[in-house]
Amino acid sequence: TLDAGIGRTLPKLLEKVSLKEILPWISFQLKEEELRDYIMNKSVHPELIPANSYSAEIEQTLAQFLIKSAVDINPSKEQLTDGTVGMVLLGGSVLRNVEDPGDALRIGMDSLRPLGMTDYFLDMNGLASEVGALAGVNRELAAQVTSPAMFLNLGRVITPVTHLKEGKRAFSISIRDDSGNMQKYDIIQGGIKRIPLEYGRYYEMDWFNVSNGVTIPSVTTWTSVGFKSGCFGLVFDMRGKTLDLPKEPGAQVHMLQRWKSELGVWRDKTE
């Protein structure tokens, strides 16, 4: 569990991260003093809901940096690079109140960046904290009432380790549904590759033509992988181990918009 709430502790973020580091991750023009004022106002009035898409993006970006900061001091952060993080549950008001679940998924992907194969879930109704409180009193009852259906399955994200140049094929996959229908895809280095699949349906994936030097931590690419599709299907994060934005502001905005477009939104790409 990472404590990354946006509220009265928000100003402490500026002790670890500068405003200049945060601003490039916001896709519209904003001055340092305007961002500082927003942070201070939010820390005094944490209950305020973003009034428009601009303030919502600011809060989502701040949430991303808060999660990053929490990861940096977490003693288990090595698990993000060894492929042992098989599931991530995203929660909190900022991630719960997004316009589209894709915004929450993108924040999780950009801030945590777990290598390997990870299933993402979203606590849409704020139930995780309630179940956690119940577990403190009665673990057995908490286990009985907990169900995967309580959380929105966002999908499976696969993040490999590669040293390929952008545009080079990393590997190919085939996906077969429970009726035997199969599709093949080439996965190219660079950007985000999303394969829309039917929500809640079971699929099986096979790997082939894996390029030299491409590894997926804790995954054996010579065996099939079965999974239940979430609302974003299957997502391949081919942007690299670390995310680096261009130095030119216009190119930064273009990159952020490209990543958001590649992941897309749930309502436009479900089948």
Side-chain angles (χ1 to χ4, degrees):
T1 301
L2 299 176
D3 184 7
I6 286 189
R8 300 189 188 281
T9 60
L10 191 54
K12 292 184 178 180
L13 176 65
L14 299 183
E15 298 174 6
K16 305 173 183 178
V17 183
S18 69
L19 295 172
K20 287 184 178 181
E21 292 177 89
I22 300 174
L23 283 172
W25 292 87
I26 298 175
S27 66
F28 58 90
Q29 189 172 11
L30 190 68
K31 297 179 181 178
E32 286 189 28
E33 54 267 30
E34 292 173 328
L35 178 57
R36 182 182 290 107
D37 289 346
Y38 191 96
I39 290 174
M40 296 306 170
N41 185 56
K42 184 67 178 182
S43 68
V44 176
H45 304 286
E47 74 284 353
L48 293 179
I49 297 174
N52 51 51
S53 61
Y54 298 105
S55 54
E57 183 177 344
I58 293 174
E59 294 200 8
Q60 290 170 16
T61 304
L62 292 174
Q64 179 177 323
F65 275 87
L66 282 166
I67 296 172
K68 285 181 180 179
S69 297
V71 167
D72 288 341
I73 61 174
N74 192 289
S76 301
K77 64 180 180 180
E78 290 79 10
Q79 294 180 357
L80 293 171
T81 59
D82 63 14
T84 57
V85 178
M87 190 194 83
V88 168
L89 175 61
L90 301 170
S93 60
V94 175
L95 301 182
R96 187 168 63 244
N97 295 324
V98 291
E99 183 178 356
D100 184 86
D103 292 326
L105 177 56
R106 185 169 39 81
I107 292 169
M109 291 169 58
D110 289 358
S111 58
L112 295 171
R113 305 218 43 75
L115 300 178
M117 194 156 50
T118 308
D119 294 321
Y120 283 81
F121 293 83
L122 179 61
D123 182 13
M124 293 286 289
N125 300 305
L127 297 175
S129 58
E130 304 298 331
V131 173
L134 177 60
V137 179
N138 190 324
R139 287 190 176 185
E140 184 176 347
L141 180 58
Q144 291 175 357
V145 300
T146 302
S147 164
M150 293 171 56
F151 310 116
L152 179 66
N153 182 354
L154 295 175
R156 175 163 292 188
V157 178
I158 298 175
T159 306
V161 177
T162 82
H163 301 287
L164 299 175
K165 293 182 179 180
E166 184 165 347
K168 297 291 185 180
R169 186 184 65 187
F171 48 82
S172 300
I173 62 164
S174 64
I175 298 179
R176 184 169 55 255
D177 63 24
D178 48 16
S179 297
N181 302 308
M182 186 177 70
Q183 292 283 342
K184 294 183 178 181
Y185 303 88
D186 288 329
I187 308 301
I188 307 301
Q189 181 66 24
I192 298 171
K193 170 67 175 179
R194 174 185 169 191
I195 300 176
L197 299 169
E198 185 177 337
Y199 183 83
R201 193 168 185 176
Y202 288 92
Y203 294 86
E204 191 171 84
M205 178 177 62
D206 287 290
W207 318 78
F208 55 98
N209 296 334
V210 179
S211 298
N212 291 333
V214 175
T215 59
I216 305 171
S218 294
V219 174
T220 53
T221 55
W222 57 86
T223 59
S224 300
V225 176
F227 64 97
K228 186 177 182 180
S229 176
C231 54
F232 283 83
L234 191 60
V235 178
F236 291 89
D237 190 344
M238 307 301 296
R239 296 176 292 175
K241 188 175 180 180
T242 59
L243 296 183
D244 299 307
L245 290 176
K247 294 183 179 180
E248 200 276 314
Q252 292 170 353
V253 172
H254 176 76
M255 184 68 75
L256 292 173
Q257 292 176 343
R258 171 191 164 186
W259 289 341
K260 186 170 184 177
S261 175
E262 287 173 340
L263 184 60
V265 296
W266 183 16
R267 61 178 176 269
D268 285 349
K269 291 193 176 182
T270 49
E271 295 180 349

